[in-house]
Amino acid sequence: MAAIGAYGLWGLLPLFFRLLHHVDPVEIVTQRVLWSLLLILGLLALRRGLPSFFTALRDRRLMLPLAGSALMIGINWLTYVWAVNDGHVVAASLGYFLNPLVVVTLGVLVLKEKLRRQQMLAIAVASIGVAILAASALTTLWISLALAFSFAFYGLLRKTTPVAPMTGLGVETLLLTPLAIAYLTWEASHGGVGFGQDTPTTALLIISGAVTTVPLVLFAMAAQRLPMATLGLTQYLAPTLQFLCGVLLFGEKLSAGQMASFGLIWVGLILFASDGIATARRSRMAAA
């Protein structure tokens, strides 16, 4: 449920960021960082989690991987916001279609996770679909690759770092905060800050903290509890919703090759899901 909630919210993010198309993408990301940090610290205080937060800050073994995950999520946010506001929602969705394949590969190579035969078939079919989709969008492929690899490594780092989801996210946003403040200070000196221009823009930038924090906390919960293979292929929910936003709501062009690739991707999803259901049923029968 946490994974479905995270990916469902991420799938609808283009609708939110299009409302901020008149704001510099870097400022949107920096505002996300600052308002997310305030929200997370408030939630940690309510849940009496601040001691764990400060303990994590003093633990060098945690700070290194969390610095890495902060870097990965920062790259991911900036690339995604720029792509959406520059009219490349379909390219962004392709990045998140590629991401599960990268995640599954990392799970097998780094975490030594095992794949069943039908899971491998599902990944092969989905990979063909993604390859067709990539071939039809070579000029924006860098957007897709940046999103796919940055979020895959973010998920791997969060899965292998023994820290609570909210605490880890708080440390990540705190590490990004100096960069955010430095950029906003520079932008303010050049008269280009969008915050405070008008009430709707200011409200949306403040809300971006919650829009950022809620799905990331849900994702961190899911990443610690699900195998990387399952987590990776469940993620197809988000790019599917993003793709539909780009084509149906924002009027981006859809080629025949792209349509064929989506059919193959969904065949792979059906194969993977049916394998998971069958395995769960066998496990319940064995336990009974």
Side-chain angles (χ1 to χ4, degrees):
M1 293 305 296
I4 291 172
Y7 297 140
L9 290 171
W10 276 323
L12 299 176
L13 272 184
L15 302 178
F16 178 81
F17 287 122
R18 272 300 176 93
L19 298 175
L20 290 167
H21 68 278
H22 56 289
V23 180
D24 173 36
V26 181
E27 182 186 349
I28 295 174
V29 173
T30 56
Q31 295 282 355
R32 291 178 75 179
V33 170
L34 296 178
W35 293 110
S36 295
L37 180 62
L38 291 176
L39 177 59
I40 292 166
L41 291 178
L43 292 173
L44 286 172
L46 288 174
R47 299 173 57 184
R48 299 180 180 178
L50 287 177
S52 298
F53 174 74
F54 290 118
T55 299
L57 288 175
R58 293 190 295 267
D59 191 336
R60 294 182 180 180
R61 293 174 299 176
L62 294 178
M63 289 302 293
L64 183 59
L66 287 175
S69 61
L71 176 63
M72 291 297 103
I73 200 61
I75 293 172
N76 187 271
W77 287 351
L78 183 58
T79 305
Y80 182 79
V81 173
W82 178 87
V84 169
N85 285 354
D86 205 56
H88 300 297
V89 176
V90 172
S93 72
L94 172 58
Y96 291 108
F97 276 118
L98 287 168
N99 174 259
L101 304 178
V102 180
V103 169
V104 170
T105 302
L106 290 176
V108 173
L109 297 179
V110 179
L111 302 180
K112 309 302 180 185
E113 294 180 355
K114 302 296 184 182
L115 296 179
R116 293 182 292 275
R117 183 174 301 176
Q118 189 164 326
Q119 287 179 315
M120 290 188 286
L121 176 61
I123 292 169
V125 172
S127 298
I128 294 171
V130 170
I132 294 172
L133 195 59
S136 64
L138 289 176
T139 56
T140 56
L141 190 58
W142 70 269
I143 298 173
S144 307
L145 293 176
L147 291 172
F149 280 90
S150 62
F151 202 72
F153 279 102
Y154 175 76
L156 177 64
L157 288 167
R158 287 309 305 267
K159 183 174 180 64
T160 56
T161 305
V163 63
M166 186 72 74
T167 301
L169 184 56
V171 173
E172 290 168 351
T173 51
L174 182 64
L175 292 172
L176 292 172
T177 295
L179 295 175
I181 293 174
Y183 180 82
L184 288 174
T185 302
W186 176 86
E187 192 176 36
S189 67
H190 290 73
V193 177
F195 186 84
Q197 282 185 355
D198 55 72
T199 301
T201 298
T202 302
L204 287 170
L205 288 172
I206 293 173
I207 294 171
S208 69
V211 170
T212 299
T213 302
V214 172
L216 276 174
V217 171
L218 291 173
F219 172 78
M221 292 170 58
Q224 290 183 343
R225 291 164 173 79
L226 290 176
M228 288 290 276
T230 304
L231 186 69
L233 287 174
T234 305
Q235 189 174 339
Y236 278 122
L237 173 63
T240 298
L241 292 174
Q242 293 170 11
F243 176 83
L244 292 174
C245 286
V247 173
L248 300 180
L249 300 180
F250 302 145
E252 295 188 27
K253 300 296 183 180
L254 178 62
S255 67
Q258 289 172 319
M259 294 178 65
S261 70
F262 272 80
L264 289 170
I265 288 167
W266 277 104
V267 169
L269 283 176
I270 292 169
L271 288 171
F272 188 84
S274 62
D275 174 79
I277 293 170
T279 301
R281 184 181 295 117
R282 287 193 297 268
S283 298
R284 287 195 299 268
M285 291 177 65

